[in-house]
């Protein structure tokens, strides 16, 4: 983890620490050693403590008790199901609301992202597909014009991204794009019920894919009780 670029120190430290967690560089359950990280990043402890606090509110860092200190949030199969339950409910609601609030300009932006994903797949260039996929989902939340729905969507997608460090599966981008098309079609028709169902079906399908994948027991506790 190296610091570079022009940003506030607090934001930069937060992003580096977040990315280290999401990439698996800092593994679930690992201690977040503020002293060691401050030396490694060449920064003071203050922005690191701020970053740890921010990551704690997002569920990526936990502090089980005052004496143990902060650690990267552990991952479990049971909580993975819970994250997807929350994501399905939230994104279904966002799609339902967006069907009644989305503007023509916002629909056009969603269509552009959709076509970009389709073209990347045709070209065999998968590098930006994950980013475009996230932008598509947050774009629907943006189209609700509710800040809370956007913030909660960001949070659940962040938690999903953390779990994916322990999921060994190739993304089925052709199916992802097909299901995005169904959501877009419902939004264009202003069909709130169908938009919600298409969004929920999409999340449920994704969970099924990941549950059938190889899960790394060194990263995810597979006890589902």
């Amino acid at each position: 983890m190296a610091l570079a670029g022009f940003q506030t120190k607090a934001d930069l430290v937060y992003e580096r620490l977040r990315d280290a967690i999401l990439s698996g560089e800092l593994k679930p359950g690992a201690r977040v050693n503020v002293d060691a990280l401050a030396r490694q990043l060449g920064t003071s402890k203050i922005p690191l403590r701020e970053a740890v606090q921010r990551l704690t509110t997002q569920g990526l860092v936990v502090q089980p008790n005052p004496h143990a200190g902060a650690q990267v949030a552990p991952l479990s199969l049971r909580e993975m199901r819970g994250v997807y339950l929350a994501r399905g409910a939230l994104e279904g609601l966002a799609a339902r609301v967006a069907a009644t609030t989305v503007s023509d300009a916002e629909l056009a932006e969603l269509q552009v992202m959709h076509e970009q994903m389709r073209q990347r797949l045709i070209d065999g260039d998968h590098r930006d597909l994950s980013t475009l996929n996230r932008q598509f989902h947050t774009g629907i939340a943006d189209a609700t014009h509710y800040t809370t729905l956007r913030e909660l969507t960001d949070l659940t997608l962040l938690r999903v991204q953390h779990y994916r460090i322990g999921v060994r599966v190739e993304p089925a981008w052709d199916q992802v794009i097909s299901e995005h098309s169904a959501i877009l079609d419902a939004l264009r028709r202003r069909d709130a019920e169908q938009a919600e169902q298409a969004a929920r079906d999409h999340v449920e399908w994704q969970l099924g894919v990941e549950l059938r994948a190889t899960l790394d027991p060194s990263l995810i506790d597979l006890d589902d009780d």
Side-chain angles (χ1 to χ4, degrees):
M1 293 183 292
L3 297 180
F6 181 76
Q7 290 175 285
T8 67
K9 181 70 74 172
D11 285 344
L12 196 54
V13 169
Y14 161 75
E15 289 180 9
R16 293 298 180 267
L17 195 52
R18 178 202 62 197
D19 291 349
I21 292 171
L22 295 178
S23 70
E25 180 184 348
L26 287 176
K27 298 189 183 305
R31 182 186 171 206
V32 180
N33 188 323
V34 172
D35 291 338
L37 286 169
R39 290 192 298 271
Q40 184 180 350
L41 297 174
T43 186
S44 71
K45 297 177 187 178
I46 294 174
L48 262 169
R49 289 193 182 109
E50 291 175 359
V52 167
Q53 183 58 44
R54 188 172 171 186
L55 290 162
T56 299
T57 65
Q58 294 173 332
L60 295 181
V61 168
V62 294
Q63 295 181 288
N65 63 70
H67 304 293
Q71 64 184 57
V72 178
L75 302 178
S76 71
L77 179 56
R78 177 173 176 77
E79 283 304 316
M80 179 176 168
R81 292 180 187 275
V83 168
Y84 270 94
L85 281 172
R87 184 186 173 194
L90 179 63
E91 293 201 27
L93 174 61
R96 171 179 280 276
V97 173
T100 66
T101 59
V102 65
S103 68
D104 290 343
E106 288 166 332
L107 271 174
E109 289 175 6
L110 289 168
Q111 184 65 42
V112 166
M113 285 184 273
H114 181 61
E115 292 303 327
Q116 286 176 334
M117 289 187 72
R118 192 196 305 275
Q119 192 59 52
R120 295 286 199 286
L121 186 62
I122 291 171
D123 294 342
D125 181 1
H126 295 184
R127 287 174 298 175
D128 297 332
L129 282 175
S130 292
T131 299
L132 286 167
N133 181 56
R134 183 184 180 91
Q135 289 173 346
F136 181 86
H137 287 277
T138 57
I140 293 172
D142 279 334
T144 69
H145 307 156
Y146 284 110
T147 301
T148 299
L149 284 178
R150 169 56 193 264
E151 290 175 346
L152 291 173
T153 298
D154 279 337
L155 180 59
T156 54
L157 290 174
L158 196 65
R159 299 289 295 277
V160 166
Q161 189 177 352
H162 192 201
Y163 271 93
R164 285 186 176 152
I165 66 172
V167 178
R168 305 289 179 252
V169 64
E170 287 296 321
W173 288 117
D174 52 346
Q175 182 68 20
V176 169
I177 291 167
S178 174
E179 296 195 0
H180 284 184
S181 183
I183 298 170
L184 263 177
D185 182 60
L187 291 176
R188 286 193 207 94
R189 291 185 285 104
R190 311 289 176 172
D191 186 333
E193 184 174 348
Q194 189 55 45
E196 178 177 12
Q197 190 60 56
R200 283 180 172 270
D201 287 348
H202 180 49
V203 174
E204 184 175 343
W205 166 78
Q206 186 64 58
L207 174 60
V209 168
E210 300 194 6
L211 289 177
R212 291 190 297 273
T214 300
L215 303 179
D216 187 338
S218 72
L219 298 172
I220 299 177
D221 179 359
L222 300 184
D223 185 355
D224 202 18
D225 292 335

